Amino acid sequence: MKISTGEKTFYTINNIVIFLVSLTCLMPLLYIVATSFSSGAAIESGKVYLWPVDFTPAAYKVLTVSTGLFKYVWNSVVVTGVGVALSMIFTIICAYPLSKKKLFARKKITFFIVFTMLFGGGMIPTYLLVKELGLMNSYWSIWLTTLISPYNMLIMKSFFENIPDEIDESARIDGCSEWRILLQMYLPLSKAVIATLCLFYGVTYWNMFLKVLMYINDSRGYTLPVLIQQMVFQLEQIKLGTSVDLNQVAGANQVISESVKSAGVVVLIVPMLIVYPFLQKYFVKGVMLGSVKG
């Protein structure tokens, strides 16, 4: 089919607009990366824009030495890894029976779940409940209060509903139980939506900040976002460790708090940037397949 001149003009203008919008999203990231690799003198003089000036990785070395970075990274990995596993298990367990038309009061149960997307108990009642359950200063307070996302559960439920009933019926004729049908029939067909929801839950847990501050009292249990928040919002320069530690870091005298803060932000966002390309091929497919039915 031949494309008319008007359509060519529209597509050209559309591509230009999308490119410019993409730049507005990309430029802040480039600036943060450039700042993290630039010298303190270049940053203070306003020479840094989208490319490092007087390139130096000293900010990352100082960040590692002065904050115990790896401890916070490990805490974030634990919270994210265990959290995603638990959330996916319970999301699947919740979505599978709700996808069956024979389930008693199926529509009412779904309504109550959707209701929680609009109205919740609130921050203070949730905090008091967590405290009464003795979950304070434990990662279980984070995992249990973030266990199932109604939105993600509905996506998984809709995906299961799109699986042909003949698969379920043939498995039952062969004597399969519900658990075996779910594990050996449904889940292998659901790789796209599982990968998508893992990404959703992973981003949620990795960037979790408020709940960690609320429920974790011991600073040794803080995650990376809390560390970065404390660095970014502190008005004065952050304490860059002891003089003995910093003397062991090459180029530490060229580092200012701004570059160390930028290095922390980069460390926070890089893991998600690394994971996303591996899940990108499932992303659109998983969401679209899971949203065909309401």
Side-chain angles (χ1 to χ4, degrees):
M1 181 177 179
K2 186 177 180 180
I3 301 177
S4 65
T5 304
E7 290 177 325
K8 290 181 180 179
T9 303
F10 171 78
Y11 290 137
T12 302
I13 295 176
N14 190 43
N15 291 334
I16 293 174
V17 171
I18 293 176
F19 176 74
L20 293 177
V21 172
S22 301
L23 282 182
T24 61
C25 299
L26 186 61
M27 287 176 64
L29 176 61
L30 294 178
Y31 174 76
I32 290 294
V33 174
T35 302
S36 68
F37 284 107
S38 299
S39 65
I43 296 172
E44 291 178 334
S45 61
K47 297 179 180 179
V48 180
Y49 294 101
L50 301 179
W51 193 258
V53 178
D54 300 331
F55 182 88
T56 173
Y60 292 90
K61 298 178 182 178
V62 171
L63 175 66
T64 303
V65 171
S66 62
T67 63
L69 178 66
F70 295 113
K71 175 182 65 177
Y72 296 99
V73 172
W74 173 249
N75 291 342
S76 292
V77 170
V78 171
V79 169
T80 303
V82 177
V84 170
L86 290 175
S87 292
M88 287 304 304
I89 290 173
F90 283 92
T91 298
I92 292 171
I93 291 176
C94 181
Y96 176 71
L98 288 176
S99 66
K100 302 299 182 181
K101 297 179 181 179
K102 63 182 180 180
L103 178 67
F104 176 75
R106 170 173 169 263
K107 292 184 178 180
K108 293 182 179 179
I109 296 174
T110 304
F111 169 78
F112 288 131
I113 293 175
V114 174
F115 185 82
T116 64
M117 298 174 65
L118 305 176
F119 303 97
M123 182 184 301
I124 295 177
T126 303
Y127 175 84
L128 295 176
L129 176 61
V130 170
K131 186 176 180 180
E132 288 297 321
L133 292 175
L135 298 176
M136 296 296 294
N137 209 33
S138 168
Y139 288 149
W140 283 105
S141 61
I142 299 174
W143 294 328
L144 293 180
T145 56
T146 322
L147 193 60
I148 296 180
S149 165
Y151 174 76
N152 293 344
M153 192 281 298
L154 291 176
I155 291 178
M156 179 66 74
K157 168 181 170 292
S158 297
F159 186 91
F160 285 157
E161 288 176 343
N162 292 328
I163 295 178
D165 294 334
E166 289 76 12
I167 295 178
D168 187 290
E169 293 172 359
S170 62
R172 293 183 188 280
I173 292 174
D174 291 337
C176 292
S177 63
E178 292 288 354
W179 283 106
R180 190 171 181 182
I181 293 174
L182 173 62
L183 296 176
Q184 296 187 359
M185 306 298 292
Y186 275 59
L187 293 188
L189 297 173
S190 309
K191 292 180 181 178
V193 71
I194 289 175
T196 302
L197 298 188
C198 282
L199 180 62
F200 286 170
Y201 279 122
V203 172
T204 299
Y205 281 107
W206 183 261
N207 294 327
M208 190 163 292
F209 159 71
L210 184 58
K211 287 185 179 181
V212 177
L213 275 184
M214 288 176 57
Y215 303 138
I216 305 299
N217 300 323
D218 190 348
S219 60
R220 292 176 298 180
Y222 284 168
T223 55
L224 191 56
V226 177
L227 171 67
I228 305 306
Q229 184 272 343
Q230 293 178 343
M231 294 169 56
V232 170
F233 288 97
Q234 190 169 347
L235 298 179
E236 300 178 356
Q237 288 192 350
I238 62 174
K239 298 179 180 179
L240 301 179
T242 63
S243 58
V244 176
D245 292 332
L246 294 184
N247 287 334
Q248 300 174 358
V249 180
N253 58 335
Q254 301 178 0
V255 173
I256 63 173
S257 61
E258 192 66 28
S259 59
V260 180
K261 294 174 185 178
S262 299
V265 174
V266 172
V267 172
L268 177 63
I269 63 180
V270 161
M272 290 296 104
L273 292 178
I274 294 175
V275 171
Y276 179 75
F278 295 99
L279 301 179
Q280 183 182 13
K281 63 180 180 178
Y282 301 110
F283 187 76
V284 176
K285 180 181 177 182
V287 173
M288 293 302 294
L289 288 177
S291 61
V292 173
K293 294 182 180 180

